[in-house]
Amino acid sequence: MAKPKYTNEFTVDIDRCGPNERLGVIGTFNILQALATSHAYQLGIGAFDTWDRGGYWVVTNTQVEFYNDVNLYETIVGETWPMETDDKAFKMYRSYTIKHKKDLVAKAKSEWVVLSTKNNMPVPFKESGFPKNFKYCKDIAIEEEPTKFVNDFVEEDKVGEYVIQVTDLDLAIHTNNVKYVQIILNTFTLDEMTKKKVKSFEIKYASSCLLGEKIRIYRKVEGNTYRYAIKNDKDRVTTYAIIVFKN
């Protein structure tokens, strides 16, 4: 029987660091993705298993809170577990922690749906292929509900543009969810990236961006809070995000 929690060790290699020789935001998101992917495979609900059942997983929201720094070449332990879900529900949640020895590095919660390969519509949890009689862990990494984002961005808020490249794509030939994080972080200068410390990062994926699509990045700054929207050529918001920096 599958264990309630999945655990794996990671080394903070150069590709997981930012310019300040510490585990970076993108590295953290990649670790979360690796944890979820590996555990899903272990549970028999990985990408290929789900596709064979006529569906595919899509992450719709990720909330991350950052605590202690961890340096290049140090070892960290990531842990993830699915949260109990009603059979009729369409949204499913997964919690995570990342620790260095006894220090909490980050904790996170992600929201997922399974879409049908026939019509791209969400399917209820009972049809996701999740193992029956699974013994859920009652822990919740982040109690807060996902933010209800508002599209109040205007043209004066635009801070960048980007065209989706072939290396941005995932197995579903959509833009990989971590790529959006990178696109948003690229709106900062090197000085900002090395001096600012992220307290929390939340991103909502409203719709997919495809190869060759031109997107525009918008930002509003309110003190230590930076709100983002990514829009496509049809002026539709594909992604929202909110970054809060430490004082």
Side-chain angles (χ1 to χ4, degrees):
M1 182 177 291
K3 295 181 180 180
K5 289 188 175 184
Y6 172 82
T7 303
N8 202 0
E9 282 191 355
F10 300 86
T11 299
V12 182
D13 293 320
I14 289 176
D15 60 346
R16 293 191 172 112
C17 282
N20 50 17
E21 300 180 8
R22 296 191 298 264
L23 177 65
V25 173
I26 295 173
T28 301
F29 270 85
N30 276 322
I31 287 171
L32 299 177
Q33 183 171 258
L35 287 166
T37 301
S38 296
H39 197 203
Y41 175 78
Q42 189 181 82
L43 294 172
I45 53 170
F48 297 118
D49 292 317
T50 304
W51 187 267
D52 288 342
R53 287 190 288 266
Y56 60 99
W57 288 96
V58 175
V59 61
T60 51
N61 186 284
T62 301
Q63 300 161 266
V64 187
E65 295 178 0
F66 296 87
Y67 294 90
N68 294 288
D69 292 331
V70 57
N71 297 320
L72 179 66
Y73 301 133
E74 292 187 311
T75 300
I76 54 179
V77 176
E79 194 168 46
T80 185
W81 60 98
M83 297 156 64
E84 191 165 5
T85 305
D86 185 272
D87 280 347
K88 297 179 181 179
F90 290 93
K91 295 179 180 179
M92 308 149 210
Y93 295 89
R94 175 176 283 277
S95 283
Y96 312 76
T97 59
I98 299 174
K99 295 181 179 180
H100 173 241
K101 298 179 180 178
K102 293 183 179 180
D103 291 334
L104 179 64
V105 176
K107 60 182 182 179
K109 182 174 71 175
S110 58
E111 177 186 272
W112 300 77
V113 297
V114 173
L115 301 182
S116 168
T117 56
K118 294 181 179 179
N119 55 19
N120 293 318
M121 295 298 292
V123 301
F125 179 68
K126 65 180 179 181
E127 298 176 21
S128 68
F130 201 88
K132 305 296 183 183
N133 302 317
F134 182 79
K135 291 186 177 180
Y136 290 94
C137 173
K138 299 296 183 182
D139 297 339
I140 301 175
I142 295 178
E143 295 279 357
E144 290 77 13
E145 293 294 317
T147 299
K148 296 185 183 298
F149 290 93
V150 177
N151 181 13
D152 59 351
F153 296 87
V154 295
E155 198 60 25
E156 288 75 15
D157 298 324
K158 189 170 78 170
V159 291
E161 295 182 345
Y162 184 77
V163 177
I164 303 301
Q165 305 294 312
V166 67
T167 54
D168 300 331
L169 305 180
D170 59 16
L171 287 174
I173 320 300
H174 299 151
T175 301
N176 184 282
N177 65 81
V178 181
K179 187 64 186 183
Y180 296 100
V181 177
Q182 182 179 344
I183 290 169
I184 289 168
L185 291 178
N186 279 339
T187 63
F188 291 98
T189 65
L190 176 60
D191 189 58
E192 289 173 324
M193 284 293 292
T194 53
K195 291 182 178 179
K196 289 179 176 291
K197 287 190 176 183
V198 176
K199 180 181 180 181
S200 63
F201 193 125
E202 180 178 357
I203 185 164
K204 174 182 175 62
Y205 307 98
S207 62
S208 300
C209 292
L210 305 177
L211 179 62
E213 195 167 3
K214 184 177 181 179
I215 57 176
R216 307 186 305 278
I217 304 100
Y218 296 82
R219 178 172 71 188
K220 285 183 179 290
V221 181
E222 299 153 359
N224 286 339
T225 301
Y226 289 59
R227 294 193 295 116
Y228 282 87
I230 295 176
K231 299 183 181 182
N232 60 18
D233 280 341
K234 298 179 180 178
D235 206 39
R236 180 180 179 181
V237 175
T238 67
T239 312
Y240 289 103
I242 181 168
I243 307 172
V244 179
F245 290 97
K246 296 177 181 178
N247 293 321

